[in-house]
Amino acid sequence: MTYCVGLLLNAGMVFLADTRTNAGIDNIATYRKQFVFCEPGERIIVIQTAGSLSVTQTVIAKLTEAIEDPESGPDSSILQAPTMLRVAEMVGQTLSDVSADISAKVSRMTQAASASMIVGGQRRGGAQRLFMLYPEGNFIEATEDTPYLQIGEHKYGKPILDRVVTPDTSLEDARKVALLSMDSTLRSNLSVGMPLDLLVVHRDACAIAEQTRIEAGDADFLAMSEAWSSALRDSFKAVP
Amino acid sequence: MTYCVGLLLNAGMVFLADTRTNAGIDNIATYRKQFVFCEPGERIIVIQTAGSLSVTQTVIAKLTEAIEDPESGPDSSILQAPTMLRVAEMVGQTLSDVSADISAKVSRMTQAASASMIVGGQRRGGAQRLFMLYPEGNFIEATEDTPYLQIGEHKYGKPILDRVVTPDTSLEDARKVALLSMDSTLRSNLSVGMPLDLLVVHRDACAIAEQTRIEAGDADFLAMSEAWSSALRDSFKAVP
């Protein structure tokens, strides 16, 4: 399982992903699920992934190959695509192709291989945009009304997002709410696990403002988690 | 969808259920999902239901028929069963039979009819016990380590339960945490809806201490929900 969240705010964007993957409960490993493609000042594209690792790794590998191919153009390299909408379409198409290809192979085992993704970013002169791609490759976009998108084990971490996040939320608060939303998910679902990958992007900078891997046992994260638990218990006592 | 929760505490038991049922999103109705069978002072059995209404209604009807049948004995009437474990087995067997019967009928439409249940209660001289019945009729029991059980849309309301509930939680706090857990679920899933049925039982009383239907727009519930939202936002600000 996985939990990834992306927030689209007036001040910028915040992305947070866990790193635990598992095949059954006795085969657990750490894999990055957050990928950044950036030409600083020019454009930044962040992709977060959930679902079958064989699908998501192949999608990221194909996107990377296309970027590195000297013959690639605006139709094949997401770093040359004219708009973020086009980027979402290209990632969606790759996801759909890879997923169909792998599913055909594994269907003999009556399994399906699928994945979903969060794609967000900005290109110089364009707007910040954030998309959630379904396994079929189609997608929805974050809006002012719902300025965040989640993939994977999304339910435990949703109540805090619903209550706190608006487009005017500061990046500092957004960073905090993303971590608290992850904290609730970590507590309730063992298949979501540390370390975490956190990425903060300032609006119009088209560059990484902060990129942190938060390891298990990170003192700040533990302190925040502990403070949130006691604040919640205090809040609980305060409610009439 | 549905959300029901039952808490097993040293001081007694608390049960909370929503009442919304739907067949598709344009056929919504209110049905009771919390049922009490009580001989005051002698025994109390509470059943909460989630899943296909055709299954749950038939199960409750069959259990009621067996109770009312003058020829029924300890093997057929849950009000005469010698232990709460036996009650859970009887309800589980009825659930399994009804569910198999109805599924056989609807399988031509490639649908399955299933349901899950919370069964809790106490018999004079016995211990309070709380069970969660799976659609197949087998069940698990609440323990000191995990003194609550949920059915239906359980994820949104779980973080607050995990943080607050221990066997020593007072009935007043348990009532509050059940309502806050429901409040988080109501906010995040439209298919869970008011009114709510709340039931409180004191340990060893084998009687109903409080049975309330909380209607949409209930002033106390709204005030609690509002206070919880602001307390959460304050907590959020207080976390470093």
Side-chain angles (χ1 to χ4, degrees):
Chain A
M1 206 66 195
T2 290
Y3 180 49
C4 301
V5 59
L7 295 97
L8 175 69
L9 309 161
N10 294 332
M13 307 176 86
V14 173
F15 298 88
L16 183 67
D18 86 313
T19 56
R20 183 162 294 173
T21 66
N22 65 304
I25 58 166
D26 57 349
N27 185 355
I28 289 178
T30 299
Y31 280 95
R32 176 171 284 276
K33 300 171 190 175
Q34 183 184 80
F35 304 89
V36 191
F37 301 90
C38 185
E39 277 180 64
E42 198 55 41
R43 80 182 73 206
I44 183 162
I45 298 165
V46 182
I47 301 181
Q48 300 192 123
T49 63
S52 168
L53 191 63
S54 67
V55 172
T56 60
Q57 283 190 331
T58 307
V59 169
I60 297 297
K62 280 183 184 281
L63 294 172
T64 307
E65 261 184 20
I67 288 170
E68 289 167 357
D69 181 351
E71 285 174 21
S72 68
D75 282 337
S76 55
S77 161
I78 54 172
L79 280 187
Q80 295 181 48
T83 65
M84 276 304 299
L85 181 68
R86 187 67 198 117
V87 169
E89 283 173 353
M90 288 162 72
V91 180
Q93 188 59 51
T94 311
L95 173 58
S96 172
D97 293 348
V98 170
S99 171
D101 186 35
I102 296 183
S103 289
K105 287 181 191 133
V106 298
S107 64
R108 280 171 296 166
M109 321 288 278
T110 64
Q111 291 188 328
S114 74
S116 54
M117 298 192 172
I118 288 175
V119 176
Q122 189 175 18
R123 162 171 192 280
R124 190 160 56 84
Q128 303 182 112
R129 297 178 77 171
L130 182 67
F131 302 90
M132 199 264 280
L133 280 58
Y134 293 104
E136 294 76 11
N138 55 334
F139 50 81
I140 58 170
E141 184 170 3
T143 63
E144 291 234 324
D145 291 327
T146 307
Y148 67 85
L149 293 169
Q150 305 168 288
I151 51 175
E153 178 60 282
H154 61 282
K155 292 187 178 181
Y156 299 115
K158 188 164 181 285
I160 177 72
L161 295 171
D162 276 341
R163 283 194 167 87
V164 171
V165 183
T166 73
D168 292 328
T169 302
S170 70
L171 287 178
E172 197 185 345
D173 277 358
R175 189 181 181 286
K176 190 162 77 174
V177 75
L179 288 168
L180 292 175
S181 170
M182 179 64 80
D183 182 53
S184 292
T185 312
L186 290 169
R187 272 175 185 257
S188 293
N189 189 324
L190 276 188
S191 71
V192 176
M194 307 279 281
L196 310 176
D197 288 316
L198 176 72
L199 188 85
V200 179
V201 179
H202 292 171
R203 182 185 185 145
D204 297 335
C206 296
I208 296 169
E210 179 190 352
Q211 185 172 27
T212 319
R213 171 154 287 200
I214 300 168
E215 298 288 344
D218 179 271
D220 289 345
F221 185 73
L222 286 180
M224 194 201 66
S225 168
E226 207 36 64
W228 177 238
S229 277
S230 8
L232 272 188
R233 280 188 285 262
D234 293 347
S235 298
F236 176 74
K237 282 183 207 132
V239 168
Chain B
M1 205 68 195
T2 289
Y3 179 49
C4 300
V5 59
L7 295 97
L8 175 69
L9 310 161
N10 294 332
M13 307 177 86
V14 173
F15 298 87
L16 183 66
D18 85 314
T19 55
R20 183 162 295 173
T21 66
N22 64 304
I25 57 165
D26 57 349
N27 186 354
I28 290 177
T30 299
Y31 280 94
R32 176 171 284 275
K33 301 171 189 174
Q34 184 184 80
F35 304 89
V36 191
F37 301 90
C38 185
E39 278 181 63
E42 199 54 42
R43 79 182 74 206
I44 183 162
I45 298 165
V46 182
I47 301 181
Q48 301 192 120
T49 63
S52 167
L53 192 62
S54 67
V55 173
T56 60
Q57 283 191 332
T58 307
V59 170
I60 298 296
K62 279 183 184 281
L63 295 172
T64 307
E65 260 184 23
I67 288 169
E68 289 167 356
D69 181 351
E71 286 174 21
S72 69
D75 283 335
S76 54
S77 161
I78 54 172
L79 280 186
Q80 296 181 49
T83 65
M84 276 305 299
L85 182 69
R86 187 68 198 119
V87 170
E89 283 173 352
M90 288 161 71
V91 179
Q93 189 58 51
T94 311
L95 174 58
S96 173
D97 293 349
V98 169
S99 169
D101 186 34
I102 296 184
S103 288
K105 286 181 192 135
V106 298
S107 63
R108 279 172 295 165
M109 322 287 278
T110 64
Q111 291 188 328
S114 75
S116 54
M117 297 191 173
I118 287 174
V119 175
Q122 188 175 18
R123 162 170 192 280
R124 190 159 57 85
Q128 304 182 112
R129 296 178 78 171
L130 182 66
F131 302 90
M132 199 264 281
L133 280 58
Y134 293 104
E136 294 76 12
N138 55 334
F139 49 82
I140 58 171
E141 184 170 3
T143 63
E144 291 234 323
D145 291 326
T146 307
Y148 67 86
L149 293 169
Q150 305 169 288
I151 50 175
E153 178 60 282
H154 61 282
K155 293 187 178 182
Y156 300 114
K158 188 165 180 286
I160 177 73
L161 295 171
D162 277 341
R163 284 194 167 86
V164 171
V165 183
T166 73
D168 292 329
T169 302
S170 71
L171 287 178
E172 197 184 345
D173 276 359
R175 189 182 183 285
K176 190 161 77 173
V177 76
L179 288 169
L180 291 176
S181 170
M182 179 64 80
D183 181 52
S184 292
T185 312
L186 290 170
R187 272 175 184 258
S188 293
N189 190 323
L190 276 187
S191 70
V192 176
M194 307 278 283
L196 311 174
D197 288 316
L198 176 72
L199 187 85
V200 179
V201 179
H202 291 171
R203 181 184 185 145
D204 296 334
C206 297
I208 296 169
E210 178 190 352
Q211 186 172 26
T212 319
R213 171 154 287 200
I214 300 168
E215 298 288 344
D218 179 272
D220 289 345
F221 185 72
L222 286 179
M224 195 201 65
S225 168
E226 205 39 60
W228 179 238
S229 277
S230 4
L232 272 188
R233 280 188 285 261
D234 292 348
S235 299
F236 176 75
K237 282 185 207 130
V239 167

